[in-house]
């Protein structure tokens, strides 16, 4: 019998045709380049681009791209792409992650995974300056790599059209442009300079396209090439003799330095102009010329004179700091006073105890206590719940601590918006932000908000179905490039002991609790109203910034002293590359800044379609 069954099964297997499920290849093809250089290089404290190119040879589809960092599985960043049939799209997904060397990019459509690729990442150091190099020869500035500068070769076709994606660079050097910059790339590069970047542009025969592309921001009008230009001035500013032994002479452009710029060398070979909080340096010769000299690294360090930048968002993403909730000076709810609570408890005790007993005894029905006692407890609990609901209200609250960084001669600024969302009860909300917003998490000791997964598209950024517990404050960081509403003029000069001069508020914004700060020196101003002029006399040696009592206004939403202490007392010691940053509290670098407050904020988020917010704005404006 068993043999008969075996033969039947074998016969059925032979006679039945094999059914092979032929899986047709997906009509959607995807290629990806990630990192500052397209090869996975990124800076853990800053945003970096991920370029995704999608081609659809099939029907119309909506594709969801999802970035998953292996060390942050709960925080995912998404991009929604409409991909019609026959279309080819290139999108840039802005990515931020504090650490890690691996990530995955996954594409899905209608809930079905179409494609997945593991991305290898190469993190840069937080403590070393970063230089981006636009050159066909990646060995240019190799001496700087040995001298503790991170040199990242850049492809002009991969240069982002978003200034926030350039913030990882302290300097961008343009030896040559092998491809024309697109208008968006050029605008982003100039905005990055306004916001504190240093652009170095080289001349010579290879610099022709770069000079033409960036001519309006260069510190000099550039003329034809000259041969046999002596290197005496370059030798002088390098501080080392013998440069001419390696570079006897140069082929360099003739230049005319603009009136608002300054010549670093007397022969105009190197000139510089301040642009917003940053600067543009022009070297009238090929940037590769000096690499034969052992003095090259010291030369460029002296020419560039890099200053530390105040990287607020990067610091707050990587160091535990509940800045919003920890700095609130006002309660977000009108909680009852202690006396009210004691009165409520006393009333409950009296009613549930003696009054309840006397009433039942008068009715000669003490046995009803089994029913009336739970009933009274339920009534009091219901009343307490209703009172709590009335106190909390039914409206979600949004508070913003907006920090705007700008410069006196720049219409552009960087905004770091610390956003807190407070719900009166456990609910889910849909948050919508402008398309240029970059959303990340504020690191705190509780790690709240780990399910905030921003979704980017061409029109906006959303966080859908965000769960917020009753009376819980969910926090996140929103970064944007914006216009600078504060306009200041000054004539400050340094006389080896103090900064002196006048400061005028020429803009429409009144600054409250304003101060002038240089390193750890501070002069208190108070209110700097629109049109007001004040005298500045900021002496060296007092070391009074955040150490001297400052008469901040009362009844503000945030404790302004606490905010400044959190920003400037300790966070930069682990992210700045300059040793003076540890001598805190201080504004890092040699810049002179105005710090001032405003109660006006621009709403940056819609909650379920409605704009609701209140907060304060801190302006950090560089004077020089």
């Amino acid at each position: 019998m068993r043999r008969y069954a075996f033969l039947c099964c074998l016969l059925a297997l032979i006679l039945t045709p094999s059914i092979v499920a032929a899986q047709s290849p997906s009509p959607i093809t995807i290629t990806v380049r990630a990192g500052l250089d397209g090869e996975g290089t990124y800076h853990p404290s800053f945003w970096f681009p991920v370029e995704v190119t999608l081609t659809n040879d099939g029907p119309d589809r909506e594709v969801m791209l999802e970035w998953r960092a292996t060390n942050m599985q709960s925080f995912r960043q998404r991009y929604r792409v409409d991909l019609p049939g026959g279309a080819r799209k290139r999108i840039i997904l802005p990515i931020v992650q504090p650490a890690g060397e691996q990530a995955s990019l996954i594409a899905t459509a209608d809930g079905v995974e179409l494609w997945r690729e593991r991305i290898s990442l190469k993190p840069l150091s937080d403590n070393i300056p970063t230089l981006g190099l636009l050159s066909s020869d990646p060995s240019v500035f190799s001496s700087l790599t040995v001298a503790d500068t991170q040199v990242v070769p850049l492809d002009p076709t991969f240069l982002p059209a978003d200034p926030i994606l350039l913030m990882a660079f302290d300097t961008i050097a343009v030896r040559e442009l092998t491809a024309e910059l697109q208008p968006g790339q050029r605008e982003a590069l100039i905005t990055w300079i306004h916001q504190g970047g240093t652009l170095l542009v080289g001349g010579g025969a290879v610099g022709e396209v770069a000079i033409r592309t960036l001519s309006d921001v260069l510190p000099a009008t550039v003329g034809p090439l000259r041969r046999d230009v002596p290197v005496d001035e370059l030798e002088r500013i390098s501080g080392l003799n013998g440069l001419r032994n390696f570079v006897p002479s140069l082929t360099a452009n003739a230049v005319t330095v603009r009136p608002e710029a300054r010549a670093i060398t007397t022969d105009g070979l190197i000139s510089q102009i301040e642009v917003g909080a940053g600067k543009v340096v022009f070297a009238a010769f090929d940037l590769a010329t000096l690499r034969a000299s052992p003095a090259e690294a010291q030369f460029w360090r002296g020419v560039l004179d890099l200053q530390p930048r105040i990287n607020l968002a990067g610091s707050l993403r990587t160091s535990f700091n509940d800045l919003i909730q920890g700095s609130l000076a006002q309660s977000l709810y009108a909680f009852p006073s202690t006396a009210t609570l004691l009165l409520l408890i006393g009333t409950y005790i009296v009613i549930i105890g003696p009054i309840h007993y006397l009433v039942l005894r008068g009715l000669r029905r003490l046995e009803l206590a089994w029913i009336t006692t739970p009933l009274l407890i339920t009534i009091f609990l219901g009343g307490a719940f209703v009172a709590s609901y009335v106190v909390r209200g039914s409206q979600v609250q949004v508070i913003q601590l907006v920090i705007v960084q700008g410069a006196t001669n720049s219409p552009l600024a960087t905004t770091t918006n610390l956003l807190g969302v407070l719900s009166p009860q456990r609910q889910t909300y849909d948050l919508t932000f402008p398309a240029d917003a970059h959303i990340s998490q504020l690191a705190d000791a509780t790690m709240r908000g780990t399910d905030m997964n921003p979704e980017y598209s061409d029109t906006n950024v959303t966080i859908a179905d965000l769960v917020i517990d009753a009376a819980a404050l969910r926090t996140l960081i929103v970064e944007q490039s914006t216009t600078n509403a504060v306009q200041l003029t000054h004539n400050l000069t340094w006389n080896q002991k103090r900064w002196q001069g006048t400061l005028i508020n020429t803009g429409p914004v009144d600054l409250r609790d304003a101060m002038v700060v240089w390193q750890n020196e501070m002069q208190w101003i108070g209110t700097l109203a629109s049109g007001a002029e004040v005298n500045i006399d900021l002496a060296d040696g007092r070391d009074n910034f955040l150490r001297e009592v400052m008469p901040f206004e009362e009844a503000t939403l945030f404790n302004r002293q606490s905010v400044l202490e959190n920003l400037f007392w300790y966070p930069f010691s682990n992210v700045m590359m300059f040793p003076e940053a540890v001598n805190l509290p201080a504004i890092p670098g040699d810049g002179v800044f105005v710090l001032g407050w405003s109660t006006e904020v621009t709403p940056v988020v819609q909650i379920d379609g409605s704009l609701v917010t209140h907060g304060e704005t801190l302006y950090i404006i560089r004077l020089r």
Side-chain angles (χ1 to χ4, degrees), residues 102-116:
Q102 293 287 335
S104 296
L105 186 63
I106 302 165
T108 59
D110 302 321
V112 178
E113 183 175 313
L114 304 176
W115 175 89
R116 175 189 293 255

Side-chain angles (χ1 to χ4, degrees), residues 47 54 62-66 77-83 89-94 162 431-439 453-464:
W47 292 83
L54 305 97
E62 183 180 72
V63 178
M64 176 68 75
L65 299 170
E66 182 173 276
Q77 297 158 92
R78 303 186 177 106
Y79 202 113
R80 187 178 298 275
V81 185
D82 288 324
L83 197 62
K89 282 192 175 183
R90 173 184 178 269
I91 63 100
I92 299 295
L93 178 60
D162 181 349
L431 280 60
T432 305
F433 304 86
D436 64 342
H438 297 68
I439 316 298
N453 300 318
E455 180 182 305
Y456 295 82
S457 70
D458 294 336
T459 56
N460 55 35
V461 185
T462 59
I463 299 177

Side-chain angles (χ1 to χ4, degrees), residues 5 53 163 180 186-187 189 394 468 501 540 552 597:
T53 304
E180 294 277 356
R186 184 183 181 279
E187 182 180 349
L189 186 62
S394 58
I468 304 180
D540 190 11
F552 284 103
W597 293 81

Side-chain angles (χ1 to χ4, degrees), residues 129-325:
T130 304
L131 183 147
L133 175 63
L134 285 164
S135 171
S136 60
D137 182 357
S139 66
V140 177
F141 293 135
S142 57
S143 65
L144 294 183
T145 303
V146 178
D148 294 333
T149 296
Q150 303 170 114
V151 179
V152 180
L154 300 178
D155 179 351
T157 64
F158 189 66
L159 199 69
D162 181 349
I164 290 182
L165 300 183
L166 295 173
M167 289 300 177
F169 296 109
D170 300 283
T171 304
I172 293 179
V174 186
R175 178 182 178 244
E176 60 183 305
L177 287 177
T178 55
E180 294 277 356
L181 293 183
Q182 299 299 314
Q185 294 175 308
R186 184 183 181 279
E187 182 180 349
L189 186 62
I190 294 174
T191 301
W192 167 81
I193 301 168
H194 276 268
Q195 296 171 346
T198 296
L199 178 67
L200 172 62
V201 181
V206 299
E208 180 181 351
V209 176
I211 293 170
R212 183 174 66 249
T213 303
L214 301 165
S215 60
D216 58 327
V217 297
L218 294 180
T221 302
V222 183
L225 291 174
R226 302 176 295 154
R227 298 187 182 278
D228 299 324
V229 177
V231 297
D232 298 31
E233 276 295 289
L234 301 186
E235 189 176 66
R236 179 184 63 82
I237 65 173
S238 69
L240 293 175
N241 295 324
L243 177 61
R244 68 189 69 190
N245 297 330
F246 298 91
V247 186
S249 62
L250 296 172
T251 297
N253 297 90
V255 299
T256 303
V257 179
R258 302 182 192 275
E260 64 273 23
R262 69 181 182 91
I264 296 178
T265 60
T266 57
D267 57 4
L269 279 178
I270 300 179
S271 52
Q272 173 182 307
I273 188 170
E274 292 187 359
V275 179
K279 60 187 176 185
V280 179
V281 179
F282 178 65
F285 51 89
D286 185 347
L287 296 181
T289 302
L290 302 182
R291 64 179 163 187
S293 168
E296 182 190 34
Q298 181 172 332
F299 173 83
W300 288 120
R301 281 200 301 267
V303 167
L304 297 175
D305 187 27
L306 292 181
Q307 294 290 309
R309 291 174 295 155
I310 304 174
N311 176 24
L312 294 175
S315 175
L316 294 170
R317 271 193 296 268
T318 55
S319 60
F320 291 138
N321 191 334
D322 199 355
L323 182 58
I324 296 181
Q325 191 161 8

Side-chain angles (χ1 to χ4, degrees), residues 34 176 207 209 219 241 357 364 384 399 425 438 471 521 604:
E176 60 183 305
V209 176
N241 295 324
Y357 171 76
R364 300 178 183 276
I399 57 173
Q425 50 194 322
H438 297 68
E521 315 294 343
V604 75

